[in-house]
Amino acid sequence: MTSQRTRERLIQRLYEQGVSNTQVLDTIRNIPRHLFLDEALSHHAYEDTALPIGHGQTLSQPYIVARMTEILIGAASQLNKVLEIGTGSGYQTAVLSQWVGELYSVERIKPLQDKARQRLRQLSINNVHLHYADGGFGWPEQGPFDAILSAAAPSCIPKELKHQLGPNGVLVIPVGDEKQVLTLVVRKDSTDEFYQQDIEPVKFVPLLQGMAR
Ligand code: SAH
């Protein structure tokens, strides 16, 4: 089930769905998604679906991981310092880590963060810094960031995230409650002006407040 052929089928599907950046597809091809799941579910790893990772959370669908990565890369002017909200299993973290200088990732559920840390270590990914906190406030001590990606949806965009963007920084975030839209925000130079674009309808877990155990 984790055979090369199964993985190739997934890559083909993502391509057909409109992920056009072949280098992003290569990253998806190279990161072993089955390592981010419990063994009982690992045979579903190369299907294009979100999968449960415990604590009511899900490992994002490969399509959305590829798409968000592609959008972020296309819109950002540099990717030296990037923030991710919602480490979850660490899968999107692993994908993004291949594209950025240093990746800062915030998670509010400690056991998920612990598991993600183990997996990233197992894959010898060393440019990721994990933080246990409410990511709705970003990671102010480490900002500003060239780009921010959120894997959880707030009802409306937290101003703290916009203000942790550096000059021309980009934020890719799902926004909304029942109806969510993947949204791209770009800071205009170093000003307090932000350009905003709706990308496509999506379905993410909500961005929750505070920290869980
Ligand atoms: N990209 C992850 C997706 C995990 S689901 C993966 O592929 O595994 C979204 C994650 O966001 C969950 O782990 C959830 O706990 C986390 N999350 C939700 N609200 C958060 C918040 N305010 N701060 C930090 N993490 C949050």
Side-chain angles (χ1 to χ4, degrees):
M1 275 303 177
T2 56
S3 72
Q4 207 52 41
R5 210 156 56 102
T6 320
R7 290 198 197 192
E8 273 319 309
R9 211 179 298 137
L10 171 64
I11 301 302
Q12 185 60 30
R13 196 189 144 105
L14 299 184
Y15 179 74
E16 284 163 9
Q17 282 186 295
V19 178
S20 57
N21 186 322
T22 52
Q23 287 173 295
V24 170
L25 291 174
D26 279 344
T27 311
I28 300 284
R29 186 183 277 116
N30 293 335
I31 301 287
R33 191 169 183 252
H34 63 275
L35 295 185
F36 293 84
L37 286 162
D38 285 341
E39 228 166 273
L41 284 172
S42 60
H43 60 289
H44 292 297
Y46 299 97
E47 294 168 12
D48 189 24
T49 51
L51 292 163
I53 53 173
H55 308 270
Q57 304 305 317
T58 53
L59 193 161
S60 307
Q61 184 189 356
Y63 167 76
I64 206 69
V65 171
R67 191 79 182 104
M68 286 176 92
T69 307
E70 174 175 77
I71 292 163
L72 191 97
I73 290 164
S77 47
Q78 54 177 18
L79 290 168
N80 296 327
K81 228 177 163 185
V82 174
L83 174 69
E84 177 190 46
I85 316 292
T87 317
S89 68
Y91 175 66
Q92 166 94 66
T93 319
V95 170
L96 260 187
S97 74
Q98 308 300 298
W99 285 91
V100 311
E102 298 297 320
L103 179 57
Y104 297 80
S105 185
V106 183
E107 172 57 58
R108 66 182 287 281
I109 300 178
K110 187 82 178 123
L112 288 181
Q113 187 194 47
D114 291 341
K115 268 196 196 170
R117 192 186 302 282
Q118 274 175 21
R119 289 163 177 150
L120 295 168
R121 197 172 293 151
Q122 193 184 346
L123 292 171
S124 304
I125 292 174
N126 298 316
N127 59 338
V128 173
H129 312 271
L130 300 181
H131 185 39
Y132 171 52
D134 178 352
F137 298 100
W139 191 343
E141 298 79 8
Q142 296 293 349
F145 300 98
D146 299 322
I148 302 178
L149 180 150
S150 180
S155 308
C156 52
I157 302 175
K159 65 176 186 323
E160 287 83 354
L161 296 185
K162 286 163 74 167
H163 287 282
Q164 279 169 43
L165 292 174
N168 301 308
V170 302
L171 166 63
V172 179
I173 187 166
V175 185
D177 299 315
E178 254 93 275
K179 270 195 164 176
Q180 300 173 358
V181 181
L182 189 61
T183 306
L184 171 67
V185 179
V186 184
R187 186 170 207 155
K188 190 164 181 280
D189 303 313
S190 312
T191 66
D192 280 346
E193 265 183 69
F194 298 88
Y195 153 91
Q196 194 167 319
Q197 184 191 343
D198 289 356
I199 310 272
E200 61 193 56
V202 284
K203 186 85 199 102
F204 275 82
V205 297
L207 185 85
L208 298 175
Q209 289 183 355
M211 278 131 83
R213 279 279 139 200

